[in-house]
Every structure is written in structure tokens, then in C-alpha cells.
Amino acid sequence: MSKGQPSAGTGRQRVVTLVLATVGFAVNFWAWALLSPLAPRFKDVLQLGAFQQALLVAVPVVVGSVGRIPVGALTDRFGGRVMFPLVSLTTIVPVLYLGLSGHSSFTGLLVGGFFLGIGGTAFAIGVPVVNAWFPPQRRGLAIGLFGVGMGGTAISALTTVKLVTAHGIATPFIVTAIALAAYAALTALLLRDAPGRIVPTEPLAQRLADTARLRITWQAAALYAVLFGGYVAFSVYLPAYLKAAYGLAPADAANRMAGFVLLAVVMRPVGGWLSDRLGPTRVLASALAVVVIGAATAAFTPNLAPLGTIAFLAMAAALGTGSGATFALVALLAPQNKVGSVTGIVGAAGGLGGFVPPLIMGALYEQYDSYAFGLAALAFVALAALALTVTAVAKSVGLPADRGTTVNGSAAHV
């Protein structure tokens, strides 16, 4: 067996690991997203301004995104069996604080939201854990299936307000805390790190510095900022866009946004599966080309039936597919003992990338009373990412021999 590849663990343990990692991703993301559905309520009750409401939602997202960098590096060192329960149990503290007392003041919400961001770092744990258990030719699909856990934000969106309305403000927080505790206990009992896992011995700062010198780190970060960032941006901003551009009722706009998100989530493992068979660069290039065409079409505000709907659903499918392919690329090129570190930086880029487009779209709409320039900007950025994929990324992978193979067991450096 070559160095850096998983030993022949049982197929059952691989499945258990994948399921546990995916559930952990979903449960922690459920907790991470608790404040967003309640932001309008807090705005009314605490008489918050528009900026305060935006800050309330942004704080846990920013902390969760940036926090993936050290958490990913720590996962390389200590493994998922330690990090998943640790992050889940730590997240219980701000969840209970917010539910029992922190919700009564804006300061309390900000403090609780800051530490709630810890739940958003779970993504950087799951990727290296799953990656270590699966052979190279199956990692794309495995990591894509793990990525379905990002649907944990949908659990929060669908249940939080209903639970508050039916049983009071503390209820969704208590329910989520129980789920986190149950998951932490289950993981401590059942999760195993892959046999033969390469454990880095360098200090954390040195490992992060070494990771920053890897070409794959910044190539994947740039692609993920566009692809997953685009998904996050549309999941946040699409209802406002549909209401302003097409005059849809809030409920109709929310339902269409839910369809967009569901399609993107479903297509993420498809992107990983296709990457195992066709190579991640081909999948990335195709996905980005669809985003370019879809955004350019939407910039002209065509009728929703059928062209506008087709454009947005095509972008949803492409953004989900491309997000899955990005981490298939990471699994292909990142050194085994740095997958967590690379994932942390790439995941941070994707999370933070989702907040830039809504700001730009809002500013351009205020200036020109049209979303055309914002969507045209998305098309341009996606075109730049496409150019990066077919040049620098393709060179790193070594087309055409990129069908699920490793590249000398390491990654190219800048």
C-alpha cells in the first residue's frame, strides 16, 4: 500500500464514518444558522436598525468561516474522533446561552453569535476525515455526499420560527443543544480515524504557512469563493431579488429560493461523482460555463416562465456541481497530512465569498435601480474562474491524465 492512501478498513466503517461526518456537518450547521431565521423577530422586539440586523446574521457566519482555518489544521493533527465531539460540545454553550438569556439584548446576541460561529467550522473536520477513509478513485463522490450536510441550514430555516411560535423562544435552541449532545456522544462511541492516517508533527503555525504555499490551496479557494460563495449569496439574496425584479410575493419568492437551494445541495455529490470519472477540471469548467451563461441570461431579466426559471435552476445545479468538484480537486492534489489545513482555507474562502455578492447587488441596485450590472458582474467573475480552471488548474492536475489519479502523492507549490 502506498504512503498516504487509506489502509483496507472495512466497508462498513467507511459507511459509518461517512454517515457520522455528514450528520455532524448537518447538526452543527443547523446550530450555526439558528439566528438568521429569527433576525426579523429580534429586529422588532429589540428595535434594531438594518445594519444591526445584518451584523447579527453576519457575525456567526464570518467567525465560522474564518474559524475553519485553525480547525482544519487541528483536525490534521488530532483527527475527527477528537474534533467532531469537541466542536459539537463547545457549540452547545452559545446555543444554550442564546436560548436562555442571550436573546434579550443586542449585546447578548452578538456575544452568543460570535461563539455560535464555532458550529460553522465543522465542515473543515469532515473533509479530511472522509478523505482519509476512501481511496482516490472514490473520494469525489464520498466528499460530495458529505457536502449534503450543508442542508443543515435548511433544517434551521424550516423549523426555528415554527418552534418559537409554538413553544417559545428557547425551544429551538434547547432542541438543537440536545441534538448536538447526542451527536457528540454517538461520535465518541462510533467514529474512528482511518488506519495509517498521517499525523503531522510540525507546529500549527508552520503547517498553516506550508499550506499557504501550496498552489492547490489558492486555486481551490478562488474557485470555491465563486461556486459555493455564489450558492450562499443566492440562498440569502434570491427572495429579495425575485421580489424586486419580478414582483413576486414573499412566500412565492421563498419557495423558489428553497427549490434553488435543494437543487444545489442534491447536485453537490453529483459533482464529486462526475469528478471521479471525468476528472475535476472538466467538471469545474463545465459548471462555470453554465454559470456564465445563466448569469448573462438573467442579467436581461427575461420572463420567469420559462427562460428566467431555467437560467436560475441551471445556475443552482452548476454551483452545486462545481462545489462538489472543488473538493474532489482538493482530495486529488492536497498532501494527505494537509487536507484539513487546505480545507480550512478553502472553506473560509467559500463562506466569506457568499457575503460579497449580496453587498454588491444591493449597492448596484440602489445606484441603478436594476440588478443587471450585478448579474453581469457574476458572469464576468465566473468567466475569470473558468479561465483559471482551463489554464492553471488544468496544468496542476495534468490533463488529460486526471481521471481519479493522484499526482505523485503530493501537491504543486507556488
Side-chain angles (χ1 to χ4, degrees), residues 80-267:
R81 191 180 185 187
V82 171
M83 293 303 296
F84 260 131
L86 179 62
V87 165
S88 300
L89 291 173
T90 303
T91 303
I92 291 175
V93 177
V95 167
L96 289 178
Y97 167 74
L98 286 166
L100 299 178
S101 64
H103 63 267
S104 60
S105 70
F106 179 62
T107 301
L109 287 170
L110 286 184
V111 172
F114 181 89
F115 290 101
L116 192 66
I118 295 170
T121 66
F123 176 76
I125 304 173
V127 170
V129 169
V130 173
N131 183 81
W133 267 105
F134 285 82
Q137 67 271 19
R138 295 175 60 191
R139 285 177 186 158
L141 175 59
I143 294 175
L145 289 169
F146 163 75
V148 172
M150 69 185 186
T153 56
I155 299 175
S156 180
L158 293 171
T159 64
T160 301
V161 174
K162 292 179 181 178
L163 286 172
V164 169
T165 301
H167 303 290
I169 188 67
T171 305
F173 296 91
I174 293 174
V175 170
T176 307
I178 293 172
L180 286 166
Y183 172 74
L186 190 66
T187 303
L189 291 173
L190 299 179
L191 187 65
R192 299 289 183 271
D193 291 309
R197 184 177 69 89
I198 301 174
V199 179
T201 57
E202 304 91 347
L204 176 63
Q206 181 181 336
R207 282 188 283 127
L208 288 175
D210 290 343
T211 301
R213 288 194 288 269
L214 293 172
R215 184 179 296 139
I216 178 57
T217 301
W218 301 110
Q219 289 176 348
L223 294 173
Y224 204 58
V226 176
L227 290 161
F228 186 70
Y231 158 78
V232 172
F234 276 122
S235 66
V236 170
Y237 205 73
L238 193 57
Y241 167 81
L242 292 172
K243 182 179 178 181
Y246 292 99
L248 297 187
D252 190 10
N255 289 335
R256 291 174 185 266
M257 183 272 286
F260 183 99
V261 169
L262 178 61
L263 180 57
V265 169
V266 169
M267 291 303 294

